[in-house]
């Protein structure tokens, strides 16, 4: 039996907003069609009328599910390097605490209308929850090695962890420019560079990263010293980290640059000139939590740049909720239109993950989930907007 939902607006994402639109959903959750108000094909008696905006299920392009036990344990607005040091100091906990936090976080995302997640992993801790979850996960096995002599061993260990994640989808990825040496990039390029391979990297989350790459100066020098890491081999590149690292990545990979808080206009032009499949992920609430700074969003508003949204982890966020990320965006960038940013939260993330055949838009035959955003003002979010998962 087909079920019909109507609301003040329907945002199919793949097409224009439909005022007082109606979404027809089949018994297994597939989208049958989106209708305009008054369509003669619909039995009006069977329509569930709702107040708000109907949108597809959300895609969380960047998360660290295994850090969920660090919720409320890491101080805010310390800057990235002290944040990392706090994570290192507090990361270890009992297996039970870690497992329970992962289960709660998975449920929180599900309840908040998230249907798919690109999740960073350093251990197998999240596998049991993912196997039993209703959420689609792609697990990014994160490699960290700034010592060229250890790059081969780190790559092999990462490959073993990726194998252990079977049958879940996953791929090997570099952590960040300040934790990955050229040798490790070369291994990733050689062995994980097939066409369409998903690759993500934390990018320019702090200005210290650019200082390191441009001049071999800044806070990371003390950071390495504390960790007894010798970086004598590293030479300043005289350019930002993004421009230094993208050429080291596989040309055929689908690259996701995450955070981009200190990305410059020159960097954006560099991205556009590379002729590579590069997407951008914003995690605004995490950026405020860690650095109290947001990316210059307006620089990225080119039609040829695929923009997505993520929550980062509960170590750096108060909740795992894509609507919360949208609210922060629109509060700080009031000229943004929801009809555009909802694509960042849905279809664009699905396209990056390669799951847009099922997720991301309200199109016939897809099973993207269905969310209702309440307490809105026309096509604008308000401070009181909430998300209700319908399917």
């Amino acid at each position: 039996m087909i079920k019909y939902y109507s609301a003040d607006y329907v945002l199919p994402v793949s097409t224009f907003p439909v005022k007082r639109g109606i979404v027809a959903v089949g018994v297994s959750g597939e989208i049958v069609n989106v209708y305009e108000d008054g369509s003669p094909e619909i039995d009006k008696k069977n329509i569930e009328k709702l107040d708000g905006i109907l949108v597809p299920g959300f895609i969380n392009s960047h998360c660290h599910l295994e850090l969920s036990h660090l919720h409320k344990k890491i101080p805010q607005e310390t800057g990235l390097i002290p944040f990392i040091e706090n994570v290192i100091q507090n990361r270890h906990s009992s297996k039970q605490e870690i497992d329970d936090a992962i289960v709660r976080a998975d449920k929180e995302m599900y309840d908040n209308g998230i249907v798919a997640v690109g999740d960073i992993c350093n251990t197998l801790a999240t596998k049991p929850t993912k196997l039993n979850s209703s959420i689609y996960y792609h697990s990014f096995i994160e490699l960290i090695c700034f010592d060229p002599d250890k790059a081969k061993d780190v790559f092999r260990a990462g490959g073993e962890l990726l194998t252990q994640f079977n049958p879940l989808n996953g791929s090997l990825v570099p952590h960040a420019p300040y934790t990955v040496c050229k040798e490790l990039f070369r291994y990733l390029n050689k062995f994980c560079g097939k066409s369409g391979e998903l690759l993500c990297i934390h990018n320019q989350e702090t200005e210290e990263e650019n200082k390191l790459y441009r001049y071999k100066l800044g806070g990371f020098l003390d950071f390495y010293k504390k960790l007894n890491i010798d970086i004598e081999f590293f030479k300043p590149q005289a350019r930002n980290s993004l421009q230094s690292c993208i050429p080291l990545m596989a040309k055929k990979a689908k690259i996701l640059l995450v955070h981009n808080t200190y990305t410059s206009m020159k960097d954006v032009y560099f991205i556009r000139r590379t002729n590579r499949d590069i997407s951008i992920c914003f995690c605004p609430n995490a950026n405020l939590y860690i650095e109290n700074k947001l990316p210059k969003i307006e620089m990225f508003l080119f039609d040829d740049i695929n923009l997505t949204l993520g929550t980062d982890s509960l170590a750096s966020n108060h909740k795992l909720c894509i609507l919360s990320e949208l609210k922060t965006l629109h509060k700080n960038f009031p000229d943004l239109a929801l009809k555009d940013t909802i694509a960042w939260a849905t279809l664009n993330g699905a396209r990056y993950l390669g799951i847009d055949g099922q997720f991301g838009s309200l199109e016939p035959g897809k099973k993207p989930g269905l969310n209702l955003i309440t307490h809105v003002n026309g096509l604008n979010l308000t401070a009181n907007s909430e998300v209700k998962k319908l399917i």
Side-chain angles (χ1 to χ4, degrees):
M1 180 180 176
I2 296 176
K3 190 166 185 178
Y4 298 96
Y5 298 90
S6 75
D8 302 312
Y9 283 93
V10 174
L11 297 184
V13 183
S14 56
T15 58
F16 294 110
V18 182
K19 191 172 184 179
R20 291 188 292 274
I22 301 162
V23 181
V25 181
V27 291
S28 62
E30 78 278 8
I31 301 300
V32 176
N33 213 337
V34 175
Y35 299 96
E36 293 184 354
D37 184 33
S39 173
E41 303 175 55
I42 299 174
D43 180 1
K44 294 183 179 180
K45 294 180 182 178
N46 292 325
I47 300 176
E48 183 175 348
K49 296 184 178 180
L50 304 163
D51 296 324
I53 303 172
L54 289 170
V55 301
F58 294 131
I59 310 295
N60 184 355
S61 297
H62 181 75
C63 186
H64 295 253
L65 192 61
E66 68 184 35
L67 297 183
S68 299
H69 64 291
L70 296 181
H71 190 210
K72 297 182 179 179
K73 293 182 180 179
I74 308 296
Q76 299 184 53
E77 301 178 15
T78 61
L80 182 67
I81 294 176
F83 173 82
I84 296 171
E85 292 173 338
N86 271 296
V87 170
I88 293 172
Q89 293 169 9
N90 292 281
R91 180 166 189 149
H92 300 290
S93 188
S94 71
K95 182 178 183 301
Q96 191 64 55
E97 182 182 358
I98 292 172
D99 291 346
D100 290 347
I102 290 169
V103 171
R104 289 195 302 271
D106 172 77
K107 183 179 185 303
E108 178 184 343
M109 285 196 284
Y110 177 84
D111 291 343
N112 286 330
I114 292 171
V115 295
V117 178
D119 187 54
I120 301 294
C121 304
N122 301 101
T123 71
L124 267 178
T126 59
K127 182 179 179 180
T129 295
K130 289 172 179 175
L131 285 171
N132 293 300
S133 178
S134 298
I135 295 174
Y136 172 92
Y137 282 97
H138 184 98
S139 297
F140 293 107
I141 310 305
E142 187 175 72
L143 304 185
I144 298 175
C145 178
F146 211 53
D147 183 342
D149 294 333
K150 298 178 180 178
K152 181 183 290 187
D153 291 338
V154 168
F155 182 80
R156 285 176 174 170
E160 292 173 2
L161 182 59
L162 178 62
T163 300
Q164 292 175 58
F165 262 92
N166 286 332
L168 296 167
N169 295 296
S171 53
L172 296 179
V173 300
H175 169 251
Y178 54 84
T179 56
V180 176
C181 58
K182 285 185 178 180
E183 285 72 14
L184 188 52
F185 273 121
R186 291 191 185 107
Y187 281 112
L188 286 164
N189 193 339
K190 182 176 181 179
F191 296 104
C192 306
K194 64 182 180 181
S195 182
E197 184 86 9
L198 296 185
L199 185 153
C200 70
I201 184 169
H202 296 80
N203 178 63
Q204 295 171 309
E205 201 174 352
T206 173
E207 184 58 30
E208 300 304 312
E209 179 178 308
N210 287 327
K211 290 178 183 178
L212 174 67
Y213 268 78
R214 277 193 167 275
Y215 316 111
K216 198 177 179 180
L217 296 173
F220 275 113
L221 299 186
D222 288 335
F223 176 75
Y224 297 132
K225 189 174 181 179
K226 288 180 183 177
L227 295 177
N228 294 316
I229 297 175
D230 182 3
I231 64 163
E232 183 64 30
F233 69 90
F234 182 80
K235 306 301 179 185
Q237 306 297 302
R239 55 183 179 174
N240 284 355
S241 58
L242 180 150
Q243 298 178 43
S244 301
C245 291
I246 284 182
L248 301 175
M249 300 182 197
K251 292 182 179 179
K252 295 181 179 180
K254 294 175 68 176
I255 299 171
L256 184 71
L257 302 179
V258 182
H259 293 300
N260 314 289
T261 319
Y262 291 87
T263 301
S264 71
M265 182 59 82
K266 287 185 178 180
D267 293 327
V268 174
Y269 287 142
F270 181 86
I271 290 170
R272 299 182 71 210
R273 290 196 307 270
T274 61
N275 195 32
R276 297 192 185 205
D277 190 345
I278 296 178
S279 297
I280 298 292
C281 179
F282 299 125
C283 304
N285 286 329
N287 299 151
L288 293 174
Y289 192 106
I290 297 172
E291 290 265 339
N292 195 29
K293 182 178 174 63
L294 292 172
K296 296 178 180 178
I297 300 292
E298 60 277 1
M299 294 192 313
F300 298 88
L301 301 180
F302 296 96
D303 291 340
D304 56 345
I305 298 183
N306 189 57
L307 305 178
T308 75
L309 291 180
T311 62
D312 211 39
S313 73
L314 283 174
S316 59
N317 207 334
H318 298 290
K319 60 176 71 174
L320 302 181
C321 177
I322 291 296
L323 178 61
S324 179
E325 306 299 326
L326 284 168
K327 288 167 70 174
T328 296
L329 273 180
H330 284 271
K331 178 182 177 181
N332 289 276
F333 303 94
D335 289 339
L336 293 175
L338 183 63
K339 67 179 180 61
D340 298 324
T341 59
I342 204 68
W344 308 2
T346 56
L347 186 56
N348 292 3
R351 283 174 174 162
Y352 167 69
L353 291 172
I355 55 174
D356 50 311
Q358 177 174 343
F359 298 101
S361 59
L362 302 177
E363 296 181 72
K366 287 190 175 185
K367 295 182 180 179
L370 186 64
N371 292 336
L372 176 71
I373 302 177
T374 62
H375 304 295
V376 295
N377 180 15
L379 273 175
N380 297 302
L381 301 177
T382 70
N384 296 319
S385 292
E386 297 179 349
V387 58
K388 179 181 179 182
K389 181 180 179 64
L390 300 177
I391 297 175

